[in-house]
Amino acid sequence: MAARVAMKFMSECFVSRKLKSNNITRHYFSTTASTINPPNIPKKVPHVSKKGRLLTGATIGLLIGGGAYASTVDEATFCGWLFNATKLVNPIFSFLDPEVAHRLAVSAAARGWVPIEKRPDPSILELKVWGRRFSNPLGLSAGFDKNAEAVEGLLGLGFGFVEVGSVTPVPQEGNPKPRIFRLPKEGAIINRCGFNSEGIVVVAKRLGAQHGKRKLETSSAASSAVDEVVHGGKAGPGILGVNLGKNKTSEDAAADYVQGVHTLSQYADYLVINISSPNTPGLRQLQGRKQLKDLVKKVQAARDEMQWGEEGPPPLLVKIAPDLSKQDLEDIAAVALVLRVDGLIISNTTIQRPDLVSENPVSQEAGGLSGKPLFDLSTNILKDVYILTKGKIPLIGCGGISSGEDAYVKIRAGATLVQLYTAFAYGGPALIPKIKAELAQCLERDGYKSIYEAVGADCRQP
């Protein structure tokens, strides 16, 4: 029985998605073969690099080994093995150009070539925010899946929520390459991508197709399940956030964000106004009190004028920078309270270079710094904003999280939810269940029965 369960699980994780991909591929080549490869012209065999062969060989080896292992264990044990097995593949990406590695990772998730988390999250991690159920508070921040190519695969890894984007109204290439730089010893990355995006039309089509597919699968699962299926987001378990950006050459930032709301909000469980990237000229000026107030009013009006069902419009959040003065933070908190902003994400990358990275020559590259060196700075800003907003606005803590203890510190500093990116780029899928397990242990160690009890614990008066 255990063998059958394990083999079925392996099939669900890899084979079903692969077959779908192969069917699409066969259809494409069957309809175009006559024009691409005439009968008398032999097909050219593409060259595969040594690194590519190594990555392919490692993946095939893991699948073969996994097939043998699957026949002897239960589903939960095999799931753990799959996540641990990614530790063997992930280091190979470090030999590739950072942007090439990033593209490969997104493509793998989009094609279902990543493990699927079948084990339930610890019940202590479950929470409800904005009326939406999160199975855990750990999310993937915007910047990884910029064009919403891999939502299903990323949610399947066990994130409580995934945020795609930033998405701009008009497609744009972003800044010249190279624009992503690793600082592996410091656990950091510097990027100056500049909102490279395929644009809202492409992303809307992609999200629409995924939305329908997820809803169909969720409905099928609900009809066959004995217990009631509790939906997290609009399309089923797992929450989807959409991060909106402005085009570099746009002269009307508000119009860009409004266009994003009109086109993408129907697929989003929450929306984010990103006004804090350091790589788009003039963007951070929108964090000023007057500018922010005018912008949020216009975007809120655009969202509220749309037709919504019983669930209402998606919550609207603002993502801010860590490089802000005390007065800046007071202004942002005041606007957020007066306009009843649904949440704040704290924080984006920093233009500062803390001592931890200052001696590394790569730190001289222009762009935003993320990863471990950002942790203290972003956490201090998070704590300040929690106090300024009196704990009335849900905050998402982002910046430098690489362990369950880090996530716990963010929560105690005022975060209801947390996000990671850089640590995921270095640690791969195996990091996700590790952080969740460690976070649950931290809560239980200190006597908390839920996330809610720990939120802002370090900000309260003794």
Side-chain angles (χ1 to χ4, degrees):
M1 179 63 183
R4 288 198 300 270
V5 170
M7 290 305 294
K8 179 177 181 293
F9 173 72
M10 185 177 180
S11 175
E12 290 177 351
C13 288
F14 293 103
V15 178
S16 62
R17 289 181 180 173
K18 182 64 177 174
L19 286 174
K20 293 176 184 177
S21 176
N22 285 345
N23 288 337
I24 294 172
T25 303
R26 286 195 209 99
H27 174 73
Y28 175 80
F29 281 109
S30 66
T31 57
T32 59
S34 60
T35 57
I36 297 176
N37 290 300
N40 297 329
I41 301 177
K43 295 180 181 180
K44 183 178 179 181
V45 178
H47 171 72
V48 180
S49 68
K50 183 176 180 181
K51 291 177 181 176
R53 293 196 301 271
L54 181 61
L55 181 60
T56 302
T59 304
I60 292 173
L62 287 172
L63 290 175
I64 294 173
Y69 187 65
S71 64
T72 62
V73 298
D74 58 78
E75 182 175 274
T77 303
F78 182 56
C79 185
W81 180 88
L82 281 178
F83 276 87
N84 285 327
T86 63
K87 295 178 183 178
L88 302 177
V89 177
N90 206 61
I92 298 174
F93 285 84
S94 65
F95 295 101
L96 305 175
D97 170 82
E99 192 148 1
V100 171
H102 178 216
R103 282 301 317 152
L104 286 174
V106 173
S107 296
R111 289 165 171 76
W113 297 346
V114 290
I116 300 175
E117 182 58 86
K118 294 288 186 178
R119 299 163 294 183
D121 288 327
S123 59
I124 196 172
L125 299 183
E126 183 178 324
L127 70 166
K128 183 177 287 188
V129 189
W130 308 303
R132 289 151 174 83
R133 174 186 171 273
F134 292 72
S135 63
N136 71 77
L138 182 66
L140 179 62
S141 74
F144 185 84
D145 189 7
K146 291 177 176 289
N147 298 300
E149 300 172 73
V151 173
E152 184 179 2
L154 293 172
L155 284 173
L157 286 171
F159 284 110
F161 62 109
V162 168
E163 189 176 310
V164 300
S166 294
V167 187
T168 59
V170 179
Q172 62 180 31
E173 292 293 327
N175 294 322
K177 300 176 183 180
R179 54 193 180 186
I180 303 177
F181 307 90
R182 296 189 186 102
L183 295 85
K185 291 183 179 179
E186 294 82 2
I189 289 175
I190 292 174
N191 93 83
R192 51 170 179 262
C193 291
F195 284 171
N196 49 311
S197 172
E198 293 181 7
I200 59 174
V201 173
V202 171
V203 171
K205 290 180 180 178
R206 201 168 278 149
L207 284 178
Q210 294 173 358
H211 187 83
K213 181 174 181 289
R214 288 179 63 211
K215 287 195 74 171
L216 182 62
E217 291 176 348
T218 301
S219 298
S220 299
S223 62
S224 61
V226 176
D227 298 325
E228 182 181 358
V229 177
V230 180
H231 294 181
K234 292 180 178 178
I239 304 294
L240 173 65
V242 177
N243 186 299
L244 305 174
K246 68 176 285 291
N247 282 111
K248 183 177 182 179
T249 58
S250 175
E251 296 182 359
D252 188 346
D256 280 14
Y257 292 109
V258 165
Q259 190 174 352
V261 168
H262 284 160
T263 309
L264 300 175
S265 59
Q266 60 185 311
Y267 308 116
D269 294 309
Y270 71 87
L271 294 167
V272 182
I273 305 174
N274 187 353
I275 53 173
S276 52
S277 169
N279 303 312
T280 298
L283 186 69
R284 288 191 168 188
Q285 294 176 9
L286 296 173
Q287 295 174 117
R289 186 170 189 143
K290 182 181 184 306
Q291 296 91 327
L292 179 61
K293 189 173 184 179
D294 291 343
L295 175 64
V296 171
K297 279 185 174 180
K298 291 178 181 178
V299 178
Q300 284 179 330
R303 177 198 61 176
D304 295 342
E305 70 186 11
M306 299 175 67
Q307 297 294 322
W308 299 104
E310 293 182 1
E311 62 186 10
L316 184 65
L317 286 67
V318 177
K319 187 169 185 175
I320 68 174
D323 310 308
L324 296 168
S325 67
K326 185 72 173 178
Q327 184 61 55
D328 292 332
L329 294 178
E330 290 175 359
D331 289 344
I332 290 171
V335 171
L337 288 169
V338 169
L339 297 183
R340 296 185 178 181
V341 171
D342 296 300
L344 297 170
I345 300 180
I346 306 166
S347 68
N348 213 315
T349 57
T350 179
I351 56 174
Q352 299 181 45
R353 297 296 183 262
D355 292 339
L356 184 61
V357 301
S358 60
E359 295 182 1
N360 190 322
V362 179
S363 68
Q364 302 305 310
E365 293 287 350
L369 174 73
S370 63
K372 290 183 179 180
L374 177 60
F375 183 80
D376 289 340
L377 176 61
S378 60
T379 303
N380 290 335
I381 296 292
L382 171 65
K383 190 173 182 179
D384 289 342
V385 173
Y386 180 83
I387 293 171
L388 288 168
T389 56
K390 303 177 179 62
K392 295 180 178 180
I393 298 175
L395 306 178
I396 298 181
C398 181
I401 295 174
S402 60
S403 68
E405 187 69 41
D406 290 340
Y408 184 54
V409 170
K410 293 280 189 186
I411 290 169
R412 291 184 63 97
T416 302
L417 303 167
V418 295
Q419 289 179 323
L420 70 154
Y421 177 4
T422 301
F424 178 61
Y426 281 118
L431 186 65
I432 303 167
K434 178 176 179 290
I435 289 179
K436 291 190 292 185
E438 291 174 352
L439 176 56
Q441 291 170 4
C442 289
L443 291 165
E444 292 167 354
R445 177 194 67 202
D446 292 348
Y448 294 116
K449 297 180 180 179
S450 70
I451 295 285
Y452 305 110
E453 294 180 5
V455 173
D458 291 340
C459 306
R460 301 168 192 158
Q461 295 293 335

